[in-house]
């Protein structure tokens, strides 16, 4: 099992109230198209890996996380969902630049923000799982 899987199993198996970790964010600023695209692709690839790892730990298939891509003419995005809780990671294209954006159902932000980097994805996914109420109700089987 990976470090992320151990961490998620610990969160799911606790009887204590668990505060959701806040994923590290930064102000959303315009960057060159190639840099913004690289960031989005890296986040998307890692998100798929983490979602698969999380679903291997979450025993109830009805509570598994989903990952959905959204592509339009001026945006690349993906949404991770756990029950009714969502996190959307997007890159918007304008002219020769891009701007990243993180949208969380449970944590609205007045200022545009983006994930600080791929190291923020585990906290984002664990916060979704906690917001969806999976902790304290999931049996955990560690291999």
């Amino acid at each position: 099992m990976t470090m992320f899987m151990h961490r998620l199993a610990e969160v799911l198996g606790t009887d204590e109230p668990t505060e959701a970790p806040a994923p590290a964010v930064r102000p959303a600023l315009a960057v060159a198209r190639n840099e913004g695209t690289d960031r989005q692709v890296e986040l998307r690839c890692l998100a798929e890996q983490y979602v698969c790892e999380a679903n291997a730990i979450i025993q109830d298939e009805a509570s598994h996380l989903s990952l959905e891509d959204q592509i339009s003419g001026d945006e690349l995005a993906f949404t991770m969902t756990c029950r009714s809780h969502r996190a959307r990671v997007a890159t918007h294209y304008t002219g020769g630049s891009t701007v990243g954006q993180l949208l969380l159902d449970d944590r609205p932000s007045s200022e545009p923000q983006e994930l600080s980097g791929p190291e923020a994805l585990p906290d984002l996914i664990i916060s979704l799982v906690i917001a969806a109420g999976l902790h304290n109700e999931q049996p955990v089987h560690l291999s």
Side-chain angles (χ1 to χ4, degrees):
M1 285 188 13
T2 66
M3 294 296 291
F4 171 69
M5 293 170 80
H6 280 287
R7 185 173 167 213
L8 180 60
E10 185 177 302
V11 167
L12 292 176
T14 186
D15 290 333
E16 301 296 318
T18 304
E19 186 173 324
V25 295
R26 64 181 169 220
L29 301 173
V31 298
R33 288 176 72 91
N34 60 335
E35 183 180 348
T37 301
D38 285 348
R39 288 179 184 177
Q40 181 71 18
V41 169
E42 180 179 21
L43 289 170
R44 170 56 180 82
C45 290
L46 284 171
E48 184 169 5
Q49 176 184 332
Y50 286 131
V51 165
C52 288
E53 290 179 11
N55 287 342
I57 298 298
I58 298 168
Q59 299 298 307
D60 177 19
E61 288 186 29
S63 297
H64 278 183
L65 282 92
S66 67
L67 179 63
E68 180 184 340
D69 293 310
Q70 298 95 27
I71 300 170
S72 69
D74 62 350
E75 178 183 74
L76 289 176
F78 64 90
T79 300
M80 294 181 293
T81 305
C82 188
R83 292 186 174 163
S84 64
H85 299 271
R86 296 176 301 177
R88 187 169 192 272
V89 178
T91 295
H92 301 279
Y93 292 83
T94 56
S97 63
T98 64
V99 177
Q101 184 178 30
L102 173 64
L103 298 171
L104 299 171
D105 286 345
D106 301 323
R107 293 185 185 161
S109 174
S110 58
E111 297 295 320
Q113 296 181 328
E114 63 181 338
L115 285 174
S116 64
E119 66 282 350
L121 279 169
D123 284 343
L124 178 60
I125 292 171
I126 289 173
S127 70
L128 277 175
V129 167
I130 291 171
L134 297 187
H135 63 295
N136 296 328
E137 69 175 54
Q138 292 287 311
V140 177
H141 304 288
L142 301 177
S143 307

